[in-house]
Amino acid sequence: MQRVYIAICVLFSCVFVSCSKHTEVNVSIPELTNGKVYIVYADPDQIASRQQEDIAEAEIKNGKVSFDLSNLQIKNKTKDCTISILNEEKRFMCTLPLPVEKGKNITLTITGIKEYTAGQSPLTVSYSGSKQAEKFSDFLNSINTELASLYKNPQNTNAYTKIVSLCKNFSNDYPNSAFPYTVIISQINHIEETYNPLLKYCEELSNQKSDNPWHNFLVSKYKEKIMRQAMANQMVFLAKDKDGKEYTERNFEGKITLVHFWSVKSPKCTEVINNLKNIYNKYHSLGLEVVSISIDPVPNEWIKWSKENTLAWSSLIADGNTITNRYNFNDIPYYLLFSKEGKLISKSNIVEDLEQSIKQTLQ
């Protein structure tokens, strides 16, 4: 009887211990003596509506900060959050993924801040406290290695192949995780070539069903990307001249057209305007049309410049957000060469790079 009583007590104590486990996150940043740490969460619906759930915030003290998240509602044992860190002098700021696990004490350790702020190397980040946290640590560091490789060479197809493999493997082990999908989503719009291992993987996912909302969110982003890509291959725009007269691509139908996106507020754009003049003078008589479309946020500045500087070709202004989203570019000047049928032939940030295409198209 005594043995049964002891067994019941041991069983009860085990159950009590397991039920009383706290959900905690500890952050160790030895190089920071002060600052603030914020933990937030957003699911795909919240991202679409530009909302987020503010979970917790705390002050860094002696390079450490702890959060008791025992009251946090967590489905499927994990909640994939993000953590932002900002020191008081605002000289250091970073946002990192944070896998929170129910009943686990997860530790996030960050080092290499001095090298990171100097632009010499990425942060050294590690997660511990559970098997999933340790696997995520390896996953994230491997992903960051490949992303660093892509930063040096955006055409590195092998890096995309490795990213796909890493994301597949982690998703297979943890099918409810958001992080493999968010990695891919962050890269989709940086890819310009039609065939890419990462886009091929997105296509595979679009033909699969999943209960993970991040899977469906990724598929929707991929389909948006494909639609934008198709639209970007066609010359379509709405712009105005300095007198307010509207122009569209129809004004240039049947003409080989070089479209030039720029801003009068960009010294780089104004410095190379003579290069465009050389191309125009060289090929206009052979059939090349040029249209410059300013994406200046303040139209009056472009109007003033246009009155003081006359261009020999059409000079217009359009909504910058619409234009950059449609043609998916960030740096200006940006040049697109279109055929007589309005189909994209080639593109570049340097007009001289398009000269060979212009010659071949005009032949």
Side-chain angles (χ1 to χ4, degrees):
M1 185 69 180
Q2 187 176 4
R3 288 182 180 179
V4 173
Y5 175 76
I6 292 173
I8 292 173
C9 289
V10 170
L11 179 61
F12 178 79
S13 64
C14 290
V15 172
F16 179 78
V17 169
S18 65
C19 291
S20 64
K21 277 186 177 180
H22 289 293
T23 301
E24 296 182 10
V25 170
N26 297 307
V27 184
S28 175
I29 320 173
E31 296 170 63
L32 284 188
T33 57
N34 60 68
K36 270 204 166 185
V37 179
Y38 306 87
I39 298 178
V40 301
Y41 171 80
D43 61 24
D45 289 337
Q46 289 170 315
I47 289 176
S49 60
R50 297 185 178 181
Q51 296 178 346
Q52 67 181 26
E53 178 185 344
D54 297 322
I55 293 175
E57 65 177 76
E59 298 279 348
I60 299 172
K61 293 182 180 179
N62 298 320
K64 293 184 178 181
V65 61
S66 296
F67 298 91
D68 185 346
L69 303 178
S70 300
N71 294 326
L72 183 65
Q73 292 185 350
I74 300 177
K75 296 179 180 179
N76 300 319
K77 298 182 179 180
T78 61
K79 196 177 185 82
D80 294 336
C81 303
T82 59
I83 185 166
S84 296
I85 302 158
L86 176 68
N87 74 336
E88 288 184 0
E89 295 81 13
K90 297 183 180 180
R91 294 177 181 174
F92 170 76
M93 179 179 178
C94 73
T95 298
L96 298 166
L98 180 67
V100 178
E101 292 184 62
K102 191 172 184 177
K104 298 289 185 179
N105 187 335
I106 303 301
T107 298
L108 167 61
T109 304
I110 303 170
T111 56
I113 290 177
K114 183 178 179 181
E115 294 78 7
Y116 173 77
T117 53
Q120 297 172 350
S121 63
L123 290 170
T124 301
V125 180
S126 66
Y127 302 78
S128 59
S130 73
K131 182 179 179 181
Q132 181 170 344
E134 291 170 3
K135 280 197 171 184
F136 178 73
S137 188
D138 293 338
F139 166 74
L140 183 65
N141 286 318
S142 298
I143 287 290
N144 284 337
T145 298
E146 300 308 323
L147 292 179
S149 175
L150 284 174
Y151 180 78
K152 294 178 181 177
N153 178 16
Q155 307 303 321
N156 187 351
T157 304
N158 190 45
Y160 283 114
T161 301
K162 289 181 179 178
I163 288 173
V164 168
S165 178
L166 289 165
C167 290
K168 273 186 177 180
N169 291 338
F170 196 83
S171 289
N172 288 337
D173 290 338
Y174 304 100
N176 293 316
S177 177
F179 296 129
Y181 297 103
T182 57
V183 167
I184 296 171
I185 290 169
S186 71
Q187 296 305 303
I188 282 179
N189 288 330
H190 297 297
I191 301 170
E192 293 191 8
E193 62 270 23
T194 304
Y195 177 80
N196 180 283
L198 191 144
L199 291 183
K200 185 67 176 176
Y201 180 49
C202 290
E203 184 182 0
E204 291 176 15
L205 292 176
S206 68
N207 295 318
Q208 300 172 6
K209 292 184 178 181
S210 173
D211 294 330
N212 189 329
W214 288 97
H215 174 280
N216 300 324
F217 189 56
L218 168 59
V219 169
S220 69
K221 291 296 179 183
Y222 166 68
K223 290 180 177 178
E224 288 175 11
K225 160 78 175 179
I226 297 303
M227 185 177 294
R228 284 199 308 270
Q229 207 165 38
M231 292 172 65
N233 289 330
Q234 189 73 30
M235 183 171 65
V236 177
F237 62 83
L238 173 63
K240 296 179 180 180
D241 65 15
K242 64 179 183 296
D243 298 318
K245 181 181 177 181
E246 288 190 348
Y247 288 78
T248 71
E249 71 284 351
R250 292 180 181 178
N251 294 96
F252 301 89
E253 283 181 349
K255 303 171 184 177
I256 296 167
T257 306
L258 179 63
V259 182
H260 163 230
F261 297 114
W262 70 308
S263 166
V264 299
K265 294 295 290 181
S266 166
K268 182 180 177 182
C269 288
T270 54
E271 284 171 7
V272 299
I273 200 72
N274 283 332
N275 298 1
L276 183 57
K277 288 180 180 179
N278 292 336
I279 292 292
Y280 178 83
N281 292 335
K282 197 171 181 179
Y283 297 103
H284 176 61
S285 61
L286 300 177
L288 178 70
E289 291 295 332
V290 174
V291 54
S292 289
I293 301 180
S294 165
I295 57 172
D296 281 286
V298 183
N300 287 342
E301 294 179 355
W302 170 80
I303 291 172
K304 180 182 177 182
W305 188 94
S306 299
K307 289 180 178 178
E308 296 173 353
N309 301 269
T310 303
L311 298 178
W313 56 88
S314 299
S315 181
L316 311 171
I317 189 167
D319 178 71
N321 289 329
T322 301
I323 289 292
T324 54
N325 287 334
R326 181 179 188 87
Y327 293 106
N328 191 30
F329 65 92
N330 295 309
D331 297 327
I332 50 175
Y334 189 62
Y335 305 90
L336 300 174
L337 180 65
F338 291 98
S339 68
K340 291 181 179 179
E341 296 74 30
K343 300 291 185 182
L344 181 65
I345 298 172
S346 56
K347 55 190 174 182
S348 178
N349 290 107
I350 303 173
V351 69
E352 289 85 354
D353 289 349
L354 300 180
E355 188 164 4
Q356 188 62 33
S357 294
I358 291 170
K359 287 180 182 178
Q360 293 175 352
T361 307
L362 290 172
Q363 287 177 354

